[in-house]
Amino acid sequence: SQKIEQNSEALNIQEGKTATLTCNYTNYSPAYLQWYRQDPGRGPVFLLLIRENEKEKRKERLKVTFDTTLKQSLFHITASQPADSATYLCALDKGAAGNKLTFGGGTRVLVKP
Amino acid sequence: EAQVTQNPRYLITVTGKKLTVTCSQNMNHEYMSWYRQDPGLGLRQIYYSMNVEVTDKGDVPEGYKVSRKEKRNFPLILESPSPNQTSLYFCASNRQGPNSPLHFGNGTRLTVT
């Protein structure tokens, strides 16, 4: 069956360091992958989208890679700040028509000053 | 301001008492969808709509109904709520097209006793 896995354990990181989150998937051939940020009590907010033919995408201090051979995406937050503390979700399309995004369970990041 | 508005934010009800959670978006998006978020299970799609009068089941549609009579509104109806529908619910909208990111509301926390 199709599966998306994100590390369910919280990632504790010191301010200024790079946080790296993984999103692994099985039995998918996604055309694109999205990353969202979710703060407590709020809805997810879109951050980045990467297509299957793109190896890497950047936005300010964020970087996403997409390896369709390994079936993995990595999400990096460089020069992390306490304000980056949140849960980060990856989402893959199911390749069907319509609104068929499937989300991973998310990884909580805690950046300590 | 572009937004998705859900109401109410919090709802406590009893088993079997019909309820409706409203969702409205002001971005003229074609697509709207409902998700529920549960610990350890992540975000799961309940229903989605590709346009007015066009709706389809997501991954966990049992016990829910939706309607899309106007483009901006997409209410979620629980005809006979049960305790296993206690969850955090999110409405989302996006433009037509497979790469279009989702815009989420701030959620409705439902407790069914």
Side-chain angles (χ1 to χ4, degrees), chain A residues 3-74:
Chain A
K3 217 172 176 183
I4 304 172
E5 287 184 339
Q6 294 185 256
N7 195 343
S8 57
E9 281 190 30
L11 178 64
N12 291 299
I13 192 162
Q14 202 66 37
E15 182 176 7
K17 300 290 187 186
T18 297
T20 298
L21 286 64
T22 59
C23 176
N24 296 304
Y25 59 93
T26 54
N27 298 322
Y28 267 104
S29 294
Y32 61 95
L33 186 149
Q34 300 183 14
W35 283 89
Y36 289 78
R37 169 187 171 135
Q38 186 175 20
D39 292 287
R42 307 297 294 269
V45 174
F46 171 76
L47 294 174
L48 277 167
L49 178 149
I50 186 165
R51 293 177 177 78
E52 61 178 336
N53 59 352
E54 296 175 319
K55 288 275 193 284
E56 183 180 297
K57 202 80 170 279
R58 290 176 186 260
K59 179 183 175 183
E60 296 170 357
R61 293 182 295 108
L62 307 178
K63 184 177 89 170
V64 171
T65 62
F66 193 8
D67 190 326
T68 54
T69 302
L70 290 178
K71 295 187 182 295
Q72 180 181 77
S73 174
L74 298 179

Side-chain angles (χ1 to χ4, degrees), chain B residues 7-13 19-21 108-112:
Chain B
N7 280 298
R9 287 295 308 275
Y10 301 92
L11 182 55
I12 301 173
T13 190
L19 66 91
T20 299
V21 184
T108 295
R109 185 166 291 282
L110 171 66
T111 302
V112 184

Side-chain angles (χ1 to χ4, degrees), chain A residues 32 36 38 41 49 94 99, chain B residues 31 37 45 59 98-99 102:
Chain A
Y32 61 95
Y36 289 78
Q38 186 175 20
L49 178 149
K94 289 187 179 179
N99 248 13
Chain B
Y31 286 7
Q37 187 173 38
Q45 191 183 63
D59 297 314
N99 294 338
L102 299 178

Side-chain angles (χ1 to χ4, degrees), chain A residues 10-15 81-82 84-86 108-112:
Chain A
L11 178 64
N12 291 299
I13 192 162
Q14 202 66 37
E15 182 176 7
Q81 303 167 1
D84 295 325
S85 298
R108 186 162 168 256
V109 173
L110 181 59
V111 182
K112 297 180 180 176

